[in-house]
Amino acid sequence: MSDSIRIAQLYPDLLGVTGDRGNVDVLATRLRAAGILVEVTQVGIGDELPADTDILVIGNGPLSAMRRVAPDLRAKSEAVAAMFTSGAVVFAVGAGAELLSHGTDTLEGERLDGLGLFPFTVSRSRDRRVGYIVAESELGPIIGFEDHASSWQLDVGAVAFATVTAGRGCIGTPGPGAGESIRVGEAFATNVQGPALPLNPAWADAMLRAATARRGLDYTMTREHARLDALAKGARDKIASLVHGKQITAMGL
């Protein structure tokens, strides 16, 4: 049994345009605050995904980056799929989430196939959804920023992880009542960016409890967690106040 948690970030140089390293930093910082050893590995094209990875983070990027990493990701498909079936944690944002879905239909009529691990298909559009987003989930309000031109069509029986209360979301009719994010076991796909986890410590903690429990480790909250949570609350409260005022909600292309 390992006494440390291993985090891998896939393609950080190509899929990291919306602060995705910040998601990795939050997970590692909160683990260390709990007294748990952490190993962080950056996995690029041609690199092997460590077999003992506990948490996989794959971030956001443009279509050009998706096309570039897609062949390598397909070569890693067995290892990534094993994380879903073994109960390991996966956090996929934006383009990274699309690459783990069934695939993305572009404006040019291209289909960029994904690994089919998340139960949705993506359609790109000319309606860019930009602005703060707040969505209610089983973990409480999810707060962040969205900047995408995509709509997720869920498989029959699949449901959104959160329901939009402010912003537009990516599942269903944009706006309040739309869906945002998908959960499959301990794997999450989202269009909440910014990065998401510094603003949403409860979300980070849910993933960390799952990862540590899988290793037989005790994830205990400390005064350092309380300090970090207070910082997050200040930012969350500010965003919550802004969503009731003027904000950018769409950008035509």
Side-chain angles (χ1 to χ4, degrees):
M1 183 178 297
S2 174
D3 60 354
S4 66
I5 295 295
R6 297 171 175 86
I7 303 173
Q9 184 180 6
L10 267 179
Y11 315 120
D13 55 336
L14 295 168
L15 297 179
V17 302
T18 50
D20 301 290
R21 175 67 196 192
N23 291 320
V24 175
D25 288 344
V26 164
L27 294 169
T29 297
R30 295 183 77 84
L31 283 167
R32 292 182 181 118
I36 297 171
L37 298 175
V38 184
E39 298 177 26
V40 177
T41 303
Q42 295 187 340
V43 181
I45 292 175
D47 297 334
E48 185 175 350
L49 180 66
D52 54 359
T53 296
D54 298 294
I55 302 174
L56 179 67
V57 177
I58 179 169
N60 194 21
L63 272 170
S64 59
M66 292 175 64
R67 294 186 182 102
R68 186 171 173 185
V69 306
D72 186 80
L73 184 62
R74 283 192 287 273
K76 293 179 170 66
S77 61
E78 185 175 340
V80 176
M83 295 195 66
F84 278 70
T85 57
S86 69
V89 171
V90 178
F91 189 63
V93 181
E98 295 186 27
L99 286 165
L100 299 184
S101 75
H102 295 306
T104 299
D105 295 323
T106 72
L107 289 171
E108 296 74 29
E110 171 193 9
R111 163 58 73 94
L112 182 60
D113 288 331
L115 298 190
L117 299 173
F118 283 114
F120 64 90
T121 302
V122 182
S123 296
R124 292 295 183 94
S125 74
R126 296 188 182 278
D127 176 21
R128 192 156 199 92
R129 306 172 192 186
V130 181
Y132 293 115
I133 183 168
V134 181
E136 287 293 336
S137 77
E138 64 194 64
L139 302 175
I142 300 296
I143 293 178
F145 194 82
E146 60 180 338
D147 181 1
H148 61 93
S150 60
S151 176
W152 294 5
Q153 291 81 47
L154 304 188
D155 292 358
V156 174
V159 296
F161 173 65
T163 302
V164 173
T165 58
R168 306 196 71 200
C170 59
I171 302 168
T173 303
E180 173 53 56
S181 307
I182 288 288
R183 179 176 188 174
V184 176
E186 301 303 335
F188 296 86
T190 187
N191 262 321
V192 180
Q193 303 163 19
L197 296 186
L199 283 168
N200 296 284
W203 200 359
D205 284 340
M207 289 185 270
L208 294 175
R209 289 190 184 97
T212 52
R214 182 170 170 265
R215 290 292 183 192
L217 300 173
D218 184 23
Y219 181 67
T220 302
M221 306 298 283
T222 65
R223 293 176 65 180
E224 178 62 10
H225 288 94
R227 185 187 72 83
L228 295 169
D229 292 353
L231 294 173
K233 183 179 185 303
R236 287 166 62 87
D237 289 348
K238 180 62 175 178
I239 292 172
S241 69
L242 289 173
V243 297
H244 298 296
K246 184 178 180 181
Q247 64 170 307
I248 300 172
T249 57
M251 181 184 295
L253 300 181

